[in-house]
Amino acid sequence: MMSDWLSELRIKTLLLSFTNCAVGCALGFYYGVVSLYTVVAAVLILATGVLLQILSNFADDYGDALKEADSEKRIGPIRAVMIGSISLTQLRKAMGTVTVAATICGMIALYMCLGHDLQALSWFVFLGVLAILAAIFYTIGFAYGYKGFGDIAVFIFFGLAAVIGSQLLVLGASGQPVDIFPDSIYLACAIGIHSVMILHISAMRDIDEDRTTGKKTVAARLGHRLSALYLAVMFVVSSMLSIGACLTSHKLWECSILAVALIPLLASTYRAFIHCNDGNKVAKERKYSLIGIAIHNVAWIIILVIDFWFYY
């Protein structure tokens, strides 16, 4: 039973939300204050981000199972709900539990960071509600993920909200003016595109099945070759944005750290590109892309730590 729930959690994908939010928190520490109070706030921010991803994972599987959108030809991992090891009722209850947990963590974090600023607090509450709704309705109800709008939602919530939102909250907890800096914008866009790349690789893996079951993802609309080109363009653009963020607000030599850190993601993108017609080979690259993105994010945290201690 425990293994079934671990399968539903999609442990590897949690690396994405954790490291994305961690970069945002690191930016907040860089421009704000490092103290026990801000560290506790950051932990709550990270927990909220991970819980929202778990909710998204649960809702994704729930919607697919409810609509019977995955067939026996599915190339991706077989989830417990698909084979009946976890019932839809159990998964629905788990979604409710995770929603409550994310709400509690998020509200405590918001109070700690912005309790003195009601206007900013109200905007973040609104953003949090949107994030929960976006996670739930990806494959349920309107099911915008089936209509090709998943890329936009992932870019907004896993990129802009995760990075800039986390930075602003840590700044608020530091007692600093809530502000957005050039490197934050570039980096949030780069990380948002990286997150879209993960979604797109999953969709590339399932192009043939999704066309059969009526899922109109971006990959299903583009086809194998154009999807591979779209993936390559995303890598190039995200890399330029990431290096641009470093050139804008950090040291030139630190770009070498990013160049090395981007090699694993480059290798994974290249393999997915050349094997775009083979869903089984593309499926393997999802894990390596996740690892590559995490390495890029850790590299940015290292850069911010170096700058904080030696230059800032």
Side-chain angles (χ1 to χ4, degrees), residues 24-34 167 170-171 181 183 249-251 254 303-309 311-312:
C25 290
L27 282 165
F29 288 131
Y30 178 72
Y31 289 111
V33 174
V34 179
Q167 178 217 301
V170 173
L171 279 177
F181 303 93
D183 56 343
S249 303
H250 302 277
K251 304 299 178 181
E254 290 169 335
I303 288 172
L304 291 168
V305 169
I306 292 172
D307 278 3
F308 183 83
W309 287 109
Y311 298 112
Y312 192 57

Side-chain angles (χ1 to χ4, degrees), residues 60-90:
D60 186 16
D61 286 350
Y62 181 86
D64 283 345
L66 193 65
K67 293 179 172 62
E68 298 182 348
D70 290 323
S71 69
E72 66 279 358
K73 296 180 181 180
R74 175 183 167 86
I75 297 175
I78 302 300
R79 305 298 175 190
V81 71
M82 294 168 58
I83 58 176
S85 297
I86 294 175
S87 69
L88 287 177
T89 299
Q90 288 175 309

Side-chain angles (χ1 to χ4, degrees), residues 3 47 56 94 101 121 125 129 137 204 247 266 273 276 284 289 300:
S3 62
S56 178
L121 182 63
V125 169
V129 172
F137 290 109
M204 286 177 65
L247 291 173
L266 171 62
F273 181 87
C276 62
K284 296 177 181 178
S289 293
W300 256 107

Side-chain angles (χ1 to χ4, degrees), residues 19-20 22-27 30-31 163 182-191 194 238-251 254-255 257-259 261-262 292-308:
T19 58
N20 287 3
V23 171
C25 290
L27 282 165
Y30 178 72
Y31 289 111
V163 177
D183 56 343
S184 305
I185 298 172
Y186 292 146
L187 191 51
C189 291
I191 288 176
H194 283 170
S238 63
S239 298
M240 292 174 63
L241 286 168
S242 181
I243 292 174
C246 191
L247 291 173
T248 300
S249 303
H250 302 277
K251 304 299 178 181
E254 290 169 335
C255 291
I257 298 176
L258 289 177
L262 283 166
I293 290 169
I295 291 172
H296 166 267
N297 291 349
V298 170
W300 256 107
I301 293 172
I302 291 172
I303 288 172
L304 291 168
V305 169
I306 292 172
D307 278 3
F308 183 83

Side-chain angles (χ1 to χ4, degrees), residues 171-225:
L171 279 177
S174 302
Q176 302 291 321
V178 175
D179 199 4
I180 301 174
F181 303 93
D183 56 343
S184 305
I185 298 172
Y186 292 146
L187 191 51
C189 291
I191 288 176
I193 294 173
H194 283 170
S195 302
V196 174
M197 288 174 67
I198 296 299
L199 179 67
H200 187 64
I201 289 173
S202 298
M204 286 177 65
R205 173 195 67 196
D206 298 325
I207 285 176
D208 295 331
E209 184 198 5
D210 286 350
R211 285 178 167 176
T212 301
T213 57
K215 290 184 183 180
K216 298 179 180 179
T217 63
V218 171
R221 292 174 185 270
L222 292 177
H224 295 284
R225 283 296 176 186

